[in-house]
Amino acid sequence: MVEKLDRLKAILSEVADLKNAQALLVWDQETYMPPGGAAGRGYQVGTLAKIAHEKFTSDEVGQLLDDLEPMTSQLPSDADDACLIKITCRDYRKSKRVPSIWVEEDTRVTSNAYSVWEIAKASSNFAMFQPELEKIVALRRQYADFFKPYAHVYDPLLDNFEPGLKTAEVEQIFNKLRPQQVALIHAIAEKTGPDNSFLKASYPERAQLDFGREVITRFGFDWQRGREDISVHPFTTSFNTGDVRITTRINQNQLETGIFGTMHEAGHGMYEQGIAPALERTPLSGVPSLAIHESQSRLWENLVGRSRPFWMYFYPRLQQLFPGQLGNVSLDAFYRGINRVQPGLIRVEADEATYNLHIMLRLELEIALMEGSLEVKDLPDAWNERMGEFLGLTPPDDARGVLQDVHWSSGHFGYFSTYALGNLVSAQIWEALHADIPDLEKGIIRGDFQPLLTWLREKIHRHGSKFEPQDLIRKVTGTDITPEPYLRYLTTKYSEIYHL
Amino acid sequence: MVEKLDRLKAILSEVADLKNAQALLVWDQETYMPPGGAAGRGYQVGTLAKIAHEKFTSDEVGQLLDDLEPMTSQLPSDADDACLIKITCRDYRKSKRVPSIWVEEDTRVTSNAYSVWEIAKASSNFAMFQPELEKIVALRRQYADFFKPYAHVYDPLLDNFEPGLKTAEVEQIFNKLRPQQVALIHAIAEKTGPDNSFLKASYPERAQLDFGREVITRFGFDWQRGREDISVHPFTTSFNTGDVRITTRINQNQLETGIFGTMHEAGHGMYEQGIAPALERTPLSGVPSLAIHESQSRLWENLVGRSRPFWMYFYPRLQQLFPGQLGNVSLDAFYRGINRVQPGLIRVEADEATYNLHIMLRLELEIALMEGSLEVKDLPDAWNERMGEFLGLTPPDDARGVLQDVHWSSGHFGYFSTYALGNLVSAQIWEALHADIPDLEKGIIRGDFQPLLTWLREKIHRHGSKFEPQDLIRKVTGTDITPEPYLRYLTTKYSEIYHL
């Protein structure tokens, strides 16, 4: 049995190496690759993905898993080896349904589509992107078919980002969330919002970047095991726990873009840096689901980064860096300004009150595309129509509308709802954190984030993807994903700011 | 037959993808990777190398080559397919002798050794690097054994960089070159050298970088299909002809480091950018040998970049960028200054007259290590002793002695002599160029490098590695590798500068 386990681990470590190499190729594509490299990169990523898939879904792996599965009952259920076998069985059976040839084609198509999307977005030209997206949607339908019978055609896609969760469950959570979130926005809309014009002053890029780095260094982001670069769409990627990379973007006339984006990605990055080294080069050296991943980024970005205690510590430093721009803005005015609720066109710049509506819009469109009730060519109109309904806005062009997000060009259908779910989970975790560390805020006021990071490391990060995501959420927060803590958090926060 | 050829090409393109991905991993390691990534990167590079090797040396490839080899006689000898089969047969038979397990271990060892070398060099600590180098030498001996019987234990290593050339031939060429090169250095040493102290003024890094980019843009380096970054040891790498990357390093108080280093790497880079796209993703989409590669970098760096016509065009621009430093230095004084002969400790900073002696020193040491007449622990002493003999200098520390080059840490034994051979070939090509383009210099004075690049593209670049290197050299220059043109070039140049 030990020999079989070793053999399984040897194969899995090669698969991990291939996937990690592929992640570097993608990172490079989004940061430093010259335009001429796109076609070749598509082939390279496609080949690595195909070989990884072939190796992972080989009959030998299947046989080893069949032989090893009974062993798990003799091990503690949270033992690394037991979890490795369980999670690998789950992923194997799933991957086995997907032919290598599909994976290769999909990887090539999406790699190319990403490059096309970049240009299409820059020139706000949806027609240019449309044929690529049509290929991607067709491939996603094919993909869902591999998992027939399903309760809903969208389930197999969602499962790739939030294993175990069903479309019906997400709809149920969102149906509970939506009326209350909309009611809150309406209540806020009746009040005069705080001034936030100071955020649009001119903030030199270098100083913004430096401030962001100072903040996340204080959070505990480890630069010996990570770096930060600039990219069109900020993201986090990891090649092992010793090399976790985040990207950010800086807008000279929009202070919040860089600062909150950097904290967000650092939240992801610190999670990946916190995974136990013992899990390295196994399928457990990742995160259990994207909602949990997002709960970490949102927690650092919003529950910490948009809080009053955080700015009580960091605002003097920010004022020192930008005396001309912020010297006359009080801490209170700054705090209210960064928390102004203002329906906008761009998801990644949305405030906490309206953010989830951007997600619900995307989820509806993805489901409609998958169900076939919406065609790709009609997508811009459908987008703009819902943007009017949900947020009362009309995008002036597709760059600020349907082309704004990278996800569809990368084939990431099923991804978006995890952002909203992540928001909910972040508030659930925040309540659990407060129960364990009553004077959490006092530490933050002193710039001490150590207790917070230590708690997250202990309860969540170190486990990697050992546990099923819904199990981990229950274990950490005591309940399934639920909107109440998030609604409590929003209501308390905005009642104070807006005197509701 | 067509089907078999297609199948061969399909496998070879996957192997190419794996090698190109591996090249990106190495590029990243030397430019942007955080320290914590080293161990994981070693595994990733090792796994890709192993899989590429397994795929390339599979029995299926052997069978396909056996079946296809007779076909080549029916094709023109310079047809792409004929060359593909011939060169692939050569490489297959060679690779087949090397077990995958050796490749994997070697790649892991050298990947780690590179990281150790970086730290060892920074702290000038040979003892730290010694155990790594011992592993590397032991692996090289094992490697040579796979090719028994050989005329010389060093032959199999040399063949990796200069296919077809034997140790005895290199020694013969060097034996012819050395006395004349030493005589020239002695003649120069009797004269007073031109002043070059202005090169040590303070030149802001950004402006140096910009000037280098301006120069190589004028040469014809294509930024749509390439980029330039900073690294400890400058190098060129390519992931396909659409993505060719060079690196450089800038020294604020040593103007020549950045400028000539950049031209050197651009020479390599333009070669890779000039390979016919039709050869992409095959073993022919590379260069036939390192001497030929180096002939291109040396040609642009020295025969162009250290020439009077080049500076007649570019010196006014350089003066404009650095008026304080160079405003009072005449073109003539500048030209003489950059060509001052001055034995130095550092190979990459050596002038054209002494450069080859650095190579001969390294070749002797490599051969001695391989023959077993020298042990790794005695290497620093052996190095320092020869440095005294050859150039009359004693390194003050190992960082400026035995630890200066990256090559050994990467396992590149057999590489160094190609630098000197490249010098010789560059002068052979230069003479052939002049025969075809009599007013080459007139163009350079006007900043017109188009005829030069076009000639190189046509005669050399586009062919990739279709031809055996020694054949290509004969085809382009009319002779085997020979020292006379280089000696003629050096003698003419220095006679004028030093009034010999």
Side-chain angles (χ1 to χ4, degrees), chain B residues 159-180:
Chain B
D159 200 78
N160 285 334
F161 302 98
E162 203 57 32
L165 205 67
K166 301 295 171 200
T167 308
E169 292 173 287
V170 177
E171 288 179 325
Q172 202 179 4
I173 295 166
F174 282 8
N175 287 341
K176 242 204 262 179
L177 175 66
R178 189 159 163 179
Q180 296 194 57

Side-chain angles (χ1 to χ4, degrees), chain A residues 13-18 20-22 24-28 31-41 43-44 47-48 50-51 54-55 104 108 223-227 229 239-245 281, chain B residues 13-18 20-22 24-28 31-41 43-44 47-48 50-51 54-55 104 108 223-227 229 239-245 281:
Chain A
S13 62
E14 284 199 355
V15 173
D17 291 338
L18 287 160
N20 288 328
Q22 190 188 334
L24 179 73
L25 267 60
V26 173
W27 171 85
D28 179 73
T31 51
Y32 294 116
M33 189 184 77
R41 183 56 48 87
Y43 285 116
Q44 292 150 17
T47 295
L48 293 195
K50 182 183 152 227
I51 297 173
E54 280 170 359
K55 283 194 178 277
E104 193 188 5
R108 196 161 44 229
W223 297 97
Q224 287 294 303
R225 300 188 294 129
R227 51 177 290 125
D229 297 272
F239 317 128
N240 53 73
T241 62
D243 189 354
V244 177
R245 304 194 187 179
R281 300 179 81 217
Chain B
S13 62
E14 284 197 356
V15 173
D17 291 338
L18 286 162
N20 288 328
Q22 190 188 334
L24 180 73
L25 267 60
V26 173
W27 171 85
D28 179 73
T31 51
Y32 295 117
M33 189 185 78
R41 183 57 49 87
Y43 284 117
Q44 292 150 17
T47 294
L48 293 195
K50 182 182 151 227
I51 296 172
E54 280 170 358
K55 284 195 177 278
E104 193 189 6
R108 195 161 46 227
W223 296 97
Q224 287 294 304
R225 299 188 295 129
R227 51 176 289 125
D229 297 273
F239 318 128
N240 54 73
T241 63
D243 190 355
V244 176
R245 305 195 187 177
R281 299 179 82 216

Side-chain angles (χ1 to χ4, degrees), chain A residues 90 94 154-167 169-170 173 287-295 413-422 425 467-473 481:
Chain A
R90 180 196 74 186
K94 201 162 135 180
Y154 192 74
D155 280 348
L157 301 180
L158 182 63
D159 199 77
N160 285 333
F161 303 98
E162 203 56 33
L165 205 67
K166 301 294 171 204
T167 308
E169 293 173 286
V170 176
I173 295 167
V287 296
S289 81
L290 284 198
I292 299 179
H293 218 322
E294 193 70 8
S295 76
F413 276 66
Y415 192 129
F416 281 120
S417 57
T418 67
Y419 287 130
L421 298 172
V425 176
F467 305 118
E468 289 291 346
Q470 312 315 315
D471 290 346
L472 184 65
I473 291 168
I481 301 180

Side-chain angles (χ1 to χ4, degrees), chain A residues 89 114 128 153 177 182 251 282-283 290 458 494:
Chain A
C89 279
Y114 173 81
M128 175 189 280
V153 62
L177 175 66
V182 169
N251 185 329
T282 78
L290 284 198
E458 170 64 23
Y494 288 114

Side-chain angles (χ1 to χ4, degrees), chain A residues 163-274:
Chain A
L165 205 67
K166 301 294 171 204
T167 308
E169 293 173 286
V170 176
E171 288 178 326
Q172 200 179 5
I173 295 167
F174 283 7
N175 287 341
K176 238 201 263 180
L177 175 66
R178 191 160 162 177
Q180 296 195 57
Q181 188 134 18
V182 169
L184 180 68
I185 297 171
H186 285 170
I188 289 170
E190 284 171 20
K191 303 284 182 170
T192 310
D195 176 45
N196 66 356
S197 58
F198 54 82
L199 293 172
K200 311 270 174 270
S202 175
Y203 295 88
E205 296 189 10
R206 186 70 242 174
Q208 284 196 51
L209 206 54
D210 288 346
F211 179 73
R213 288 177 184 176
E214 210 176 305
V215 168
I216 66 176
T217 303
R218 192 94 204 160
F219 282 173
F221 185 83
D222 181 352
W223 297 97
Q224 287 294 303
R225 300 188 294 129
R227 51 177 290 125
E228 182 191 47
D229 297 272
I230 301 291
S231 71
V232 176
H233 184 89
F235 67 98
T236 299
T237 187
S238 161
F239 317 128
N240 53 73
T241 62
D243 189 354
V244 177
R245 304 194 187 179
I246 63 174
T247 71
T248 192
R249 64 175 160 191
I250 304 287
N251 185 329
Q252 195 169 330
N253 299 107
Q254 213 163 294
L255 183 62
E256 68 278 25
T257 304
I259 289 182
F260 294 109
T262 302
M263 290 196 249
H264 180 97
E265 299 306 330
H268 285 304
M270 291 186 292
Y271 189 173
E272 304 255 10
Q273 288 182 334

